[in-house]
Amino acid sequence: MSASAVFILDVKGKPLISRNYKGDVAMSEIDHFMPLLMQREEEGALTPLLSHGRVHFLWIKYSNLYLVATTLKNANASLVYSFLYKTVEVFSEYFKELEEESIRDNFVIVYELLDELMDFGFPQTTDSKILQEYITQQGNKLETGKSRVPPTVTNAVSWRSEGIKYKKNEVFIDVIESVNLLVNANGSVLLSEIVGTIKLKVFLSGMPELRLGLNDRVLFELTGLSGSKNKSVELEDVKFHQCVRLSRFDNDRTISFIPPDGDFELMSYRLSTQVKPLIWIESVIEKFSHSRVEIMVKAKGQFKKQSVANGVEISVPVPSDADSPRFKTSVGSAKYVPEKNMVIWSIKSFPGGKEYLMRAHFGLPSVEKEEVEGRPPIGVKFEIPYFTVSGIQVRYMKIIEKSGYQALPWVRYITQSGDYQLRTS
């Protein structure tokens, strides 16, 4: 079972628009939602599911709006929440910013969308690209759109239109890995994980079937490829786009799918492995007779020498009462950002194996200010192209289409900083 009705409320709990899908919950029940929410908030016992009698409210807050689904039965809560977040995503793509004003300005389109997104309490067409084929933002086109049901709505493949044609058939594959790292003041790694995504940009004619092969450890073990010569990666928390055939992946780890047209995220994954910090930071702070402070920061690239990190930014915290900054860098440039109490050291190109220094001198007020709180960590931003820290590889991309055309797959690897912080003593 799913939702009986969906409401969009303003920040005070007043309904802006609603859609009753099943008629088994009185629409007046929504009047109990806001008092219940405020009562729970005062008690410090606020939960994402609130109940009044036999009626359950499943809700999320976005910007200055509440999106609330009501149900009488023991509904599939994860399905309802996924639907509410998907609704936010669709509205945001239609109206750029989703807020009270954009709902008020687009009542007709919002109601049309609510009508198409769900049917009798069950999610239906939730792909904004498909919805935009027949629900347009020009009011006069809404009427003409009703007379023709797009084939994608009745297809088994609702995320791709038929009859797509390109002169040149290509697929661009981006493997992007973000490194999350937290190092304590003693130099010990407290947190280390890789969050990866595989994004596709598809320019293919017709209705192609794609098969993606990765150096997946489980696949290698199934097919007898595991060994010292074949480097494999054990993927965790794998999430796929709806186009991937999950039963096929469960059976033989084959990633098989008919892709949407254009840009989309095919999959995401996580690896909780001990990652050697790609850019290592050491810092020394010296105070001289309470009148000035000197900060020395050393940055070292601990990745392959043939790789280069681009757009490196090292954010070094400084005392809030510091003034008169002077900098000396062996490479790049440093600037003081007083509103953030930070020095940002920018290095355009940082080759692997290299080591660079930055010195910063600041004046301090004559009266020493006691440090009540600990110093914030040093943050690092970077991007390393043609490199993945996990070693994941696209082994092949097979493109099968009934017309038999040849298509070119292009692969690009990028490693970038996620939440990358190093604490200093």
Side-chain angles (χ1 to χ4, degrees):
M1 297 298 292
S2 190
S4 298
V6 170
F7 298 82
I8 299 175
L9 316 179
D10 66 14
V11 76
K12 292 178 181 175
K14 183 183 173 185
L16 297 172
I17 196 166
S18 59
R19 178 71 172 86
N20 190 351
Y21 293 105
K22 294 172 74 176
D24 59 346
V25 175
M27 298 300 275
S28 58
E29 285 287 343
I30 197 65
D31 297 339
H32 301 294
F33 170 72
M34 207 57 181
L36 199 59
L37 183 136
M38 292 174 78
Q39 182 192 332
R40 288 290 182 87
E41 208 164 24
E42 282 173 17
E43 292 169 358
L46 192 58
T47 57
L49 190 149
L50 303 171
S51 299
H52 179 264
R54 292 174 60 228
V55 179
H56 308 292
F57 302 102
L58 294 87
W59 64 278
I60 63 170
K61 189 178 182 187
Y62 183 85
S63 184
N64 56 355
L65 298 170
Y66 289 95
L67 280 82
V68 186
T70 58
T71 181
L72 276 179
K73 304 280 173 63
N74 183 13
N76 182 339
S78 61
L79 177 70
V80 177
Y81 286 117
S82 294
F83 173 77
L84 293 176
Y85 282 110
K86 192 70 188 176
T87 303
V88 167
E89 193 180 305
V90 169
F91 287 172
S92 299
E93 288 192 26
Y94 263 83
F95 314 131
K96 297 285 191 292
E97 293 289 329
L98 177 57
E99 51 192 28
E100 185 182 334
E101 192 179 341
S102 56
I103 297 292
R104 289 188 185 279
D105 290 348
N106 297 280
F107 268 133
V108 176
I109 297 167
V110 170
Y111 204 80
E112 284 276 327
L113 287 169
L114 287 173
D115 221 28
E116 294 297 336
L117 286 163
M118 186 171 265
D119 186 32
F120 199 67
F122 290 92
Q124 295 297 308
T125 308
T126 57
D127 191 307
S128 60
K129 285 181 184 174
I130 303 303
L131 288 164
Q132 282 165 3
E133 284 185 23
Y134 62 106
I135 297 180
T136 63
Q137 279 168 288
Q138 283 77 31
N140 60 335
K141 287 190 181 176
L142 286 169
E143 295 305 316
T144 57
K146 285 179 183 173
S147 62
R148 181 185 67 84
V149 178
T152 42
V153 176
T154 53
N155 274 357
V157 183
S158 63
W159 53 86
R160 185 178 178 89
S161 304
E162 288 183 359
I164 296 169
K165 285 183 181 171
Y166 287 102
K167 284 184 180 178
K168 193 176 183 182
N169 292 292
E170 295 178 304
V171 180
F172 296 89
I173 306 163
D174 280 350
V175 181
I176 302 163
E177 290 191 339
S178 297
V179 180
N180 295 333
L181 186 83
L182 181 61
V183 177
N184 70 8
N186 301 324
S188 302
V189 176
L190 301 178
L191 169 74
S192 167
E193 69 171 4
I194 301 160
V195 178
T197 55
I198 297 180
K199 295 182 179 181
L200 268 64
K201 194 176 277 189
V202 177
F203 303 108
L204 295 173
S205 306
M207 200 65 80
E209 166 95 23
L210 273 60
R211 286 177 200 159
L212 178 70
L214 304 171
N215 56 337
D216 174 13
R217 185 165 297 164
V218 179
L219 174 66
F220 276 24
E221 285 168 0
L222 283 171
T223 54
L225 285 170
S226 54
S228 57
K229 288 183 181 178
N230 299 307
K231 190 184 176 187
S232 59
V233 175
E234 191 169 349
L235 304 174
E236 301 168 29
D237 293 348
V238 181
K239 295 186 183 77
F240 289 110
H241 186 274
Q242 62 173 337
C243 67
V244 175
R245 293 186 179 89
L246 296 179
S247 56
R248 182 86 189 266
F249 181 77
D250 288 339
N251 286 339
D252 58 14
R253 303 292 281 194
T254 300
I255 302 170
S256 170
F257 56 99
I258 295 171
D261 190 43
D263 297 349
F264 74 102
E265 186 178 295
L266 176 69
M267 63 180 282
S268 63
Y269 59 90
R270 186 177 60 84
L271 288 141
S272 297
T273 51
Q274 197 71 16
V275 180
K276 186 181 181 183
L278 298 173
I279 295 179
W280 183 255
I281 305 292
E282 290 176 17
S283 72
V284 177
I285 300 166
E286 283 189 75
K287 286 191 177 181
F288 298 92
S289 63
H290 313 320
S291 61
R292 63 189 178 91
V293 64
E294 185 178 301
I295 302 169
M296 188 188 80
V297 178
K298 183 165 76 173
K300 185 180 181 182
Q302 298 191 140
F303 47 92
K304 293 176 182 177
K305 288 184 179 179
Q306 58 265 42
S307 296
V308 176
N310 298 325
V312 177
E313 276 191 6
I314 300 165
S315 303
V316 184
V318 298
S320 56
D321 53 350
D323 57 24
S324 314
R326 286 186 296 118
F327 305 109
K328 190 178 180 182
T329 60
S330 59
V331 71
S333 62
K335 69 172 181 179
Y336 177 42
V337 185
E339 62 271 21
K340 293 183 179 176
N341 299 320
M342 287 276 181
V343 170
I344 296 178
W345 179 17
S346 303
I347 304 168
K348 196 175 178 182
S349 181
F350 196 138
K354 293 284 183 182
E355 201 171 284
Y356 297 120
L357 283 171
M358 187 269 290
R359 288 179 186 272
H361 299 264
F362 287 92
L364 290 174
S366 54
V367 180
E368 186 181 9
K369 186 179 175 182
E370 284 187 30
E371 289 188 23
V372 181
E373 297 176 11
R375 294 180 66 245
I378 292 173
V380 186
K381 288 182 184 176
F382 59 85
E383 188 175 279
I384 308 171
Y386 320 115
F387 169 78
T388 56
V389 69
S390 69
I392 194 169
Q393 289 175 342
V394 174
R395 292 171 55 235
Y396 61 82
M397 168 66 88
K398 290 179 183 172
I399 301 160
I400 304 148
E401 215 278 330
K402 60 185 178 184
S403 63
Y405 61 69
Q406 294 296 307
L408 294 167
W410 304 90
V411 185
R412 180 172 64 167
Y413 299 97
I414 299 168
T415 292
Q416 61 190 21
S417 54
D419 188 8
Y420 195 103
Q421 298 183 342
L422 298 98
R423 295 200 169 271
T424 53
S425 52

